[in-house]
Amino acid sequence: MDQAIPAVVETRHGRDPGRDLRRVGVNRDHWYPLAWSGELKAGKPLAVRFAGDPIVLVRPKEGAVFALEDRCAHRQVPLSNGLVEGCAIRCGYHGWAYDQSGRCTDVPYLGKDKLPNGVRAYPCREAEGLILVFPGDPALADAVPLPALGSVADPRYKTRRFGQEVACHYSFMHENLMDMNHQFLHRKQMGNMVPRYMGGDKGEGFVEARYTFSRVGGKQPWAEAAIFGERRAVSAEVPAGKAVQKDLMTIRTEYPYQTLRIQTGDDAPVMDLWIAYVPVDAAQRRNRTFGLLSIKRPKIPGLLEAGWPVLVLFTERIFREDREIVEMEQAAHDAQGGDWNQEVFPVIRNLRALLRDSGGETVAAG
Amino acid sequence: MDQAIPAVVETRHGRDPGRDLRRVGVNRDHWYPLAWSGELKAGKPLAVRFAGDPIVLVRPKEGAVFALEDRCAHRQVPLSNGLVEGCAIRCGYHGWAYDQSGRCTDVPYLGKDKLPNGVRAYPCREAEGLILVFPGDPALADAVPLPALGSVADPRYKTRRFGQEVACHYSFMHENLMDMNHQFLHRKQMGNMVPRYMGGDKGEGFVEARYTFSRVGGKQPWAEAAIFGERRAVSAEVPAGKAVQKDLMTIRTEYPYQTLRIQTGDDAPVMDLWIAYVPVDAAQRRNRTFGLLSIKRPKIPGLLEAGWPVLVLFTERIFREDREIVEMEQAAHDAQGGDWNQEVFPVIRNLRALLRDSGGETVAAG
Amino acid sequence: MDQAIPAVVETRHGRDPGRDLRRVGVNRDHWYPLAWSGELKAGKPLAVRFAGDPIVLVRPKEGAVFALEDRCAHRQVPLSNGLVEGCAIRCGYHGWAYDQSGRCTDVPYLGKDKLPNGVRAYPCREAEGLILVFPGDPALADAVPLPALGSVADPRYKTRRFGQEVACHYSFMHENLMDMNHQFLHRKQMGNMVPRYMGGDKGEGFVEARYTFSRVGGKQPWAEAAIFGERRAVSAEVPAGKAVQKDLMTIRTEYPYQTLRIQTGDDAPVMDLWIAYVPVDAAQRRNRTFGLLSIKRPKIPGLLEAGWPVLVLFTERIFREDREIVEMEQAAHDAQGGDWNQEVFPVIRNLRALLRDSGGETVAAG
């Protein structure tokens, strides 16, 4: 990989001319998952946040899920504190009611001809166990397709839905996953794996990187074997110069989503991860991660199910290490008051440019 | 009530021209309760706050309660951390002493002719179990009467003293109580009561609103029956068009205090509430509530005492619901960075004008 | 002492012309203890802070302790989260390595000829159980001597190492100790001791004050007797006009350190305290205290050891009272937004001038 990387001699400040990547707000004109379907019970409103905006999700007893601005037009208290009545929600304070379009349909002490303005409604869809909302210009929503959710709908795969809140800007998440040199972080979970960068690609709205791996020490973890469906030797056991693994890992940020696929040959991927990082607070210093990890079922029925608890534990540990380190990056950024990164890896430089160019408005310091 | 309310078509920002009501500091030239008498033990100084100003209350072993600025002129540490000596208080750090007028009377290591300046003293009174302080211009204190404390001194009444700290600007408290359409908030405690606005009044320093109520569903709570001294039917059980209850509720803000009275006829009120909301912090985002809830004793002796625990529980629940909702209002205000209320009820508009006009200096964001 | 103190008539603001003492940053061109030797294990990096700057201390398995800026040049995450390898530390994220001079010696995926800039190294020494760092201009470090650490190296003394974090600017610590009129604060621990100021001294980089004490009430605490090696009578038991104690206490701030010595005659001090207050956060509102309390061993062997637990408890209590009061001073300063102290004691005025003149850059509000 050395060949591809120019020597970097930079001074500390003033790298990344232009705006601070950690202040680039997410582009609102995309579909973002705001909840898992299972979190939203019929008749029980659910309060969520997108980049600081309070949104209430409502699943009527009958009819489709809808999403409104989560504050009553009257006194600004959360509608999620109120009551679902048919396809409407009624504020719990003075009883103002709104339908799924946000129109105010009743104020108990006002005539129907005198009803005040309502609240904002957000385009809302439900797919593969995710509730997705379009927080940008509603006029654009129909023209923007829902994201392809990896192999989640493919019966040859079993999917783990996972995620949690991480206290950092979403850009740290993208960079963490795409720079596989961070394998070193997971040395306790994975053993000593050396990534080899095999090239990448970039274009309108995406950046991609491909890697292979050599194991130079440590034992292959069971969960990894479960993913590949076989056990692998370490490099030391094979003749020098011979490629140890032909498995190809492809990581792709297709704004604003990210995917990671592992292929062992020309077949369908053995692992297919789709992930989204959704800003929670106005400063976009926290994101909620929604991940769909699809594993191809091996030929022996029941094997994947049997290994599932180990796989869950393994991925949780990996994810915890990632969460801790990106939160340290965010903390360093905030303490330093800017982005002092000295990035030497061209793929990550491309990714940073993509995130900066695709993003939305600059957000204020948190 | 519909007739009285004009259609409201307003844009979101720029309502309430002039300053943001939630930034209007309380007018200091009134008497404010800062503690219950029982909280202040003889010889044990008590630290309290008025709009961020630290005040120490002192009850000498002999003599009247007094109030001083709660910081030593020397090193600014709280005098409330010191010792009461006769009618003086001595700082616990280097031993500087002050009398009830705030004059420095002793520095152990300085000659009496060299004593430095003292600390500010506040006019202070004790009445009906309340310790009241005048935080404004001391020269005005004698001319401003203590508030009339409802029916607390009337032996025909039994009074509950209650209150706690609520994390909102005092104006939300006034608006909450005066807009009886918020009865909807208490539907679990009270059942479905429909308020009917019967008119109001406003004048120099006050706004008043009058209501009657119809029960359209739910069972009358026992505590409510205890207050009225009788059980009531729901509207459905009486012929249409017939007034169900002649009970009149009168709510009045007489700046800076608020009262709520319920009269069942021409007699003295069955319930007489006096309440004050005292800002605690400098940003006036928290207030300590002091309430005197006087209930007229029914003819049967001992009945009120027997029902008292139920009444306490009932009022606590009501008050908790109110506290939660006004704290949501404050949180919304702070998140929105201004007052986005779309108020349609003329009484509340009048109240807001009163609070704005009667208030003191604008306070900075907390 | 009265004679020495002029009458002070000052208005509240605008005392101490010039900058606010509580905003004077510590002068970085001195040696500051950042950890106890025992806290730093071989091969286990230790994260510390100096005035907000993150510093990692490293004790290699072989070789001297060293100190680096605690963030990787690459992604700014703490190096203290990484691995010690020989005399180098490797970041736990992507594996960049640095030697004790801060030079980057390895990036696993970069050629040795392309290594990027490294991190800052701090001059570092270890003495008498303290790890001291020079946070200022490294070129000056060799010319600035390590502090004399009291009697800690003298075998005639037994030393207690103590300290904790205190939530105030270091200047409050110096003033607290030097103004022995604050003996009043410790009346519960010490009884009623009246300090007598015997004069002081000031010069280039130091201020000194000398006191004697008379006990006018209360019982001498055992721990105090242990320090003096004898029990003392109260003043009331000796003829008026006769000096009760000839013990001389000398308190000296020799910037940035402070010492307190008690001498009972012309001999070596019975107690010799050395103390340093090291700012932790960038606003310098918290300091970590490192104290070396050396007590001269009495003639009877084992006596000091026997009394040690009592002495530890006694000093902990004294220190807790001091911590509480200086934290109140800091809280008052921050609430008042400036230094309102009305200081009447010339020694403390001199000390304040010394701290202001010897300090470093002004720090921003926390």
Side-chain angles (χ1 to χ4, degrees), chain B residues 27-31 123 125 134 136-145:
Chain B
N27 189 326
R28 301 174 70 95
D29 289 328
H30 292 273
W31 290 95
R125 303 266 193 282
F134 193 89
D137 179 356
L140 303 178
D142 282 341
V144 175

Side-chain angles (χ1 to χ4, degrees), chain A residues 1-2 5 10 12 22 172 175-176 179 181-182 184-185 187 325 328-329 332 336 340-344, chain C residues 69 71 73-78 81 83 90-96 109-111 114-118:
Chain A
M1 196 179 104
D2 291 1
I5 300 178
E10 291 175 300
R12 186 159 259 184
R22 317 311 176 186
F172 289 113
E175 294 182 59
N176 169 271
D179 187 349
N181 297 303
H182 95 275
F184 186 68
L185 175 70
R187 61 200 177 274
I325 204 82
M328 285 179 197
E329 289 196 273
Q336 294 174 332
W340 292 17
N341 280 191
Q342 184 169 264
E343 191 49 69
V344 298
Chain C
E69 183 184 358
R71 42 195 173 202
H74 178 213
R75 305 282 307 185
Q76 314 300 323
V77 294
N81 197 43
L83 306 175
R90 187 178 292 279
C91 179
Y93 198 178
H94 302 86
W96 293 28
Y109 49 98
L110 272 189
K114 292 164 184 163
L115 292 176
N117 295 333

Side-chain angles (χ1 to χ4, degrees), chain A residues 158 160 222-224 226-227 271 293 295 304 306-318:
Chain A
K158 179 172 167 66
R160 169 160 146 71
W222 290 10
E224 190 187 303
I227 292 170
M271 188 182 119
L293 176 66
I295 307 288
L304 189 57
W308 203 249
V310 174
L311 185 129
V312 166
L313 191 65
F314 176 73
T315 51
E316 283 300 300
R317 281 178 177 162
I318 296 288

Side-chain angles (χ1 to χ4, degrees), chain B residues 217-232:
Chain B
K219 237 178 77 180
Q220 186 193 30
W222 289 11
E224 190 188 304
I227 293 169
F228 289 101
E230 62 180 55
R231 297 201 63 82
R232 301 283 172 74

Side-chain angles (χ1 to χ4, degrees), chain A residues 49 52 54 69-83 85 90-96 98 104 107-120 282, chain B residues 1-12 15 22 171-172 175-176 179 181-187 322 325-326 328-329 332-333 335-336 340-345 348 352:
Chain A
R49 294 251 163 190
E69 182 183 359
D70 191 14
R71 40 196 175 202
C72 181
H74 178 213
R75 306 282 307 184
Q76 314 300 322
V77 294
L79 290 174
S80 52
N81 198 44
L83 306 174
E85 292 181 357
R90 186 178 292 280
C91 178
Y93 197 178
H94 302 87
W96 293 30
Y98 306 88
C104 181
V107 172
Y109 49 97
L110 272 189
K112 294 290 181 201
D113 55 328
K114 292 166 184 162
L115 293 175
N117 294 333
V119 298
R120 176 176 179 180
Chain B
M1 198 178 102
D2 291 0
Q3 310 85 317
I5 300 179
V8 175
V9 183
E10 291 175 301
T11 53
R12 185 159 260 185
R15 285 172 213 135
R22 316 313 174 185
S171 60
F172 289 112
E175 295 181 60
N176 168 271
D179 187 348
N181 297 304
H182 93 277
Q183 197 68 12
F184 186 68
L185 174 69
H186 303 305
R187 61 199 176 275
D322 285 327
I325 204 82
V326 293
M328 285 179 197
E329 290 195 272
H333 176 278
Q336 295 173 332
W340 293 16
N341 279 192
Q342 184 167 265
E343 191 48 69
V344 298
F345 190 10
I348 300 303
R352 292 163 65 97

Side-chain angles (χ1 to χ4, degrees), chain A residues 4-150:
Chain A
I5 300 178
V8 176
V9 183
E10 291 175 300
T11 53
R12 186 159 259 184
H13 301 275
R15 285 173 212 136
D16 297 325
R19 60 182 177 160
D20 181 348
L21 175 57
R22 317 311 176 186
R23 295 271 165 231
V24 174
V26 85
N27 188 327
R28 301 175 70 96
D29 288 329
H30 291 273
W31 290 95
Y32 291 94
L34 295 190
W36 299 106
S37 292
E39 292 178 284
L40 183 60
K41 310 297 181 200
K44 294 258 190 190
L46 180 68
V48 294
R49 294 251 163 190
F50 177 85
D53 291 358
I55 296 175
V56 56
L57 302 178
V58 180
R59 187 189 296 283
K61 300 275 185 194
E62 290 176 32
V65 166
F66 64 93
L68 301 180
E69 182 183 359
D70 191 14
R71 40 196 175 202
C72 181
H74 178 213
R75 306 282 307 184
Q76 314 300 322
V77 294
L79 290 174
S80 52
N81 198 44
L83 306 174
V84 178
E85 292 181 357
C87 278
I89 184 165
R90 186 178 292 280
C91 178
Y93 197 178
H94 302 87
W96 293 30
Y98 306 88
D99 67 15
Q100 70 269 48
S101 74
R103 197 170 55 92
C104 181
T105 54
D106 186 39
V107 172
Y109 49 97
L110 272 189
K112 294 290 181 201
D113 55 328
K114 292 166 184 162
L115 293 175
N117 294 333
V119 298
R120 176 176 179 180
Y122 292 88
C124 184
R125 303 266 193 283
E126 191 164 12
E128 302 297 351
L130 287 172
I131 297 172
L132 299 115
V133 163
F134 193 88
D137 179 357
L140 303 178
D142 283 341
V144 176
L146 287 185
L149 297 171

Side-chain angles (χ1 to χ4, degrees), chain B residues 278-327:
Chain B
V278 185
V280 174
D281 58 323
Q284 307 199 17
R285 254 86 200 102
R286 292 186 288 128
N287 73 83
R288 188 172 173 196
T289 296
F290 291 85
L292 301 170
L293 177 64
S294 299
I295 308 288
K296 191 148 177 246
R297 295 173 186 280
K299 277 156 202 154
I300 305 165
L303 192 62
L304 190 56
E305 282 70 14
W308 203 249
V310 174
L311 184 130
V312 166
L313 192 64
F314 175 73
T315 52
E316 284 299 299
R317 282 178 177 162
I318 297 288
F319 196 76
R320 189 194 314 138
E321 289 176 342
D322 285 327
R323 179 170 54 73
E324 287 170 0
I325 204 82
V326 293
E327 293 186 346

